[in-house]
Amino acid sequence: MHIPTDNLTPDDIRPDADLTGVSLAGATLSDVDLSGASLDKTNLQNVDLSGADLSTATLTKANVTNANLKNTDLTNANLQHADLSEAGLSYADLSGAILYGADLSGADLRFAALNGADLRQTGLSLNEFKKAGAAVCGADIRGESRE
């Protein structure tokens, strides 16, 4: 684990942690357990969170651009209005996640599980999710283009 800030220690990276508004840009946090953590408005740009547990975490308005979230557990996470542009979400589990208004432009969604997720206002059509190979059974994509 590598945290590029003097204000945080590895002990701060734990389940149910309150990391609201913190900058973790460029950190290596693969395989960490941040389940239930509050990461609202947190800067996670270019962070390696591969294999991490972020289930039930809140990441509203978080900057997650270009982050590595491969194989990450984001089940039932709240990612409303988060910027996930260019994020690597292949094989991530976003089942039941709230992605309302999230920016998913350029995100790698190959084999991501989005079952039951709220994908409204993400700007992506059902076909785009399917082309990426994402599982979208029961996902809510109302208001999006149905091309």
Side-chain angles (χ1 to χ4, degrees):
M1 177 185 319
H2 169 69
I3 305 168
T5 178
D6 294 332
N7 299 332
L8 292 175
T9 67
D11 291 336
D12 294 320
I13 308 300
R14 57 180 165 61
D16 300 315
D18 184 358
L19 299 170
T20 302
V22 171
S23 178
L24 294 169
T28 302
L29 300 172
S30 55
D31 300 311
V32 299
D33 185 354
L34 282 167
S35 56
S38 178
L39 297 157
D40 300 319
K41 298 181 182 176
T42 298
N43 183 358
L44 297 166
Q45 187 174 16
N46 298 311
V47 169
D48 180 3
L49 282 161
S50 57
D53 183 353
L54 292 168
S55 59
T56 69
T58 59
L59 295 102
T60 56
K61 297 184 180 178
N63 177 0
V64 197
T65 56
N66 207 36
N68 179 3
L69 297 159
K70 183 177 182 177
N71 291 316
T72 298
D73 183 355
L74 288 154
T75 54
N76 300 310
N78 185 343
L79 295 137
Q80 287 187 72
H81 302 286
D83 186 351
L84 292 151
S85 56
E86 305 298 326
L89 290 158
S90 61
Y91 297 95
D93 189 350
L94 291 127
S95 299
I98 302 168
L99 289 146
Y100 181 90
D103 182 355
L104 293 169
S105 59
D108 180 0
L109 295 165
R110 288 176 296 157
F111 307 107
L114 293 158
N115 300 316
D118 182 350
L119 301 170
R120 294 173 298 149
Q121 304 299 317
T122 59
L124 296 181
S125 69
L126 180 59
N127 280 348
E128 289 172 301
F129 285 110
K130 286 182 176 179
K131 272 193 255 181
V136 292
C137 182
D140 188 353
I141 308 177
R142 289 177 296 172
E144 300 304 328
S145 170
R146 303 277 182 178
E147 300 170 13

